[in-house]
Amino acid sequence: MKVTQGVYICRMRDAEQPQKILIVDDDTPFATTLANSFRKRGFLSFMSNSEDNAIQLAQKEMPELAVVDLKLWHSNGLKIVEKLKEINNDIRIVVLTGYGSISTAVSAIRLGACHYLLKPSGTIDIITAFDRTKGNFEVDIGDKQNAKLKIDKWELINSALSQNDFNISETARQLGMHRRTLARILNRGRKQTS
């Protein structure tokens, strides 16, 4: 992919076949907007809101690129990353999340994602992320003051969320806090990274 004066040109296998991209996200309006944006830039895009459907689409269409939300209603996006890499080891995957942490970013990269972005991320951010070198990523956790404390807190919360398949109630119970308190912390964290 080349960026020329704000115009995005995707690599073509040949003059008639654009790159295929799979978008896996249970936020249908967001996924639809993203899919349409990629189509306008010359990609052939497919959408899925579940793990099973995403795997079926990947087996049928063999996309070269994928955008996978970390948290789906009934699945963990990391499982999808792993399965997509089993289907096609050359697929380039960008993981999106509203729950940013270093541990989940590292897990995504270890499983084969080429980059990890915090929501909201647009098409331009995602296209840029596809070209980044594996392991070269950043996770913005807010300002530098008290960064160690913030990292430790987010690590603990996100590790517990991941272990509980992003079930907020169960995570709050394990962390010994009220569900609403945890939800407020997560919402505040999302707003700071927006």
Side-chain angles (χ1 to χ4, degrees):
M1 283 165 265
K2 275 201 291 192
V3 181
T4 310
Q5 297 176 346
V7 178
Y8 295 86
I9 304 166
C10 63
R11 288 189 204 106
M12 302 287 194
R13 285 190 300 257
D14 61 50
E16 299 184 11
Q17 293 187 338
Q19 281 189 307
K20 295 179 181 179
I21 185 166
L22 174 62
I23 298 164
V24 185
D25 199 312
D26 56 7
D27 180 349
T28 303
F30 173 76
T32 302
T33 300
L34 200 56
N36 290 337
S37 182
F38 274 104
R39 281 188 199 109
K40 288 178 186 174
R41 287 170 169 80
F43 293 83
L44 185 57
S45 57
F46 304 92
M47 287 177 10
S48 174
N49 63 1
S50 72
E51 179 179 347
D52 291 339
N53 182 252
I55 300 310
Q56 289 172 358
L57 273 171
Q59 290 170 334
K60 180 182 175 190
E61 300 297 338
M62 294 302 288
E64 295 92 352
L65 307 169
V67 178
V68 178
D69 188 10
L70 183 65
K71 180 182 181 272
L72 301 171
W73 281 110
H74 299 290
S75 184
N76 181 330
L78 295 178
K79 293 177 188 174
I80 297 171
V81 169
E82 192 171 21
K83 289 180 181 180
L84 290 176
K85 292 300 280 187
E86 287 172 6
I87 293 167
N88 175 9
N89 192 47
D90 294 328
I91 191 169
R92 308 249 328 138
I93 303 168
V94 171
V95 174
L96 297 180
T97 184
Y99 303 94
S101 81
I102 293 170
S103 65
T104 53
V106 169
S107 295
I109 300 303
R110 282 187 181 151
L111 290 172
C114 63
H115 203 69
Y116 177 98
L117 295 173
L118 295 174
K119 284 185 173 182
S121 291
T123 311
I124 295 168
D125 300 321
I126 295 168
I127 289 172
T128 302
F130 279 126
D131 278 340
R132 294 216 175 129
T133 306
K134 184 178 177 181
N136 179 17
F137 63 95
E138 298 173 8
V139 179
D140 182 8
I141 58 162
D143 62 13
K144 302 294 182 192
Q145 190 175 25
N146 298 320
K148 176 70 173 139
L149 182 59
K150 288 181 182 181
I151 289 170
D152 290 345
K153 180 179 177 181
W154 274 106
E155 288 296 308
L156 177 64
I157 289 171
N158 283 284
S159 176
L161 273 169
S162 182
Q163 289 172 3
N164 290 302
D165 287 327
F166 299 94
N167 181 320
I168 292 176
S169 297
E170 182 59 24
T171 301
R173 188 188 67 72
Q174 284 185 0
L175 294 174
M177 63 174 63
H178 195 279
R179 183 192 180 287
R180 287 186 199 147
T181 302
L182 178 58
R184 276 194 298 273
I185 290 169
L186 294 171
N187 283 332
R188 199 174 322 128
R190 267 191 245 138
K191 287 176 185 172
Q192 289 175 355
T193 58
S194 301

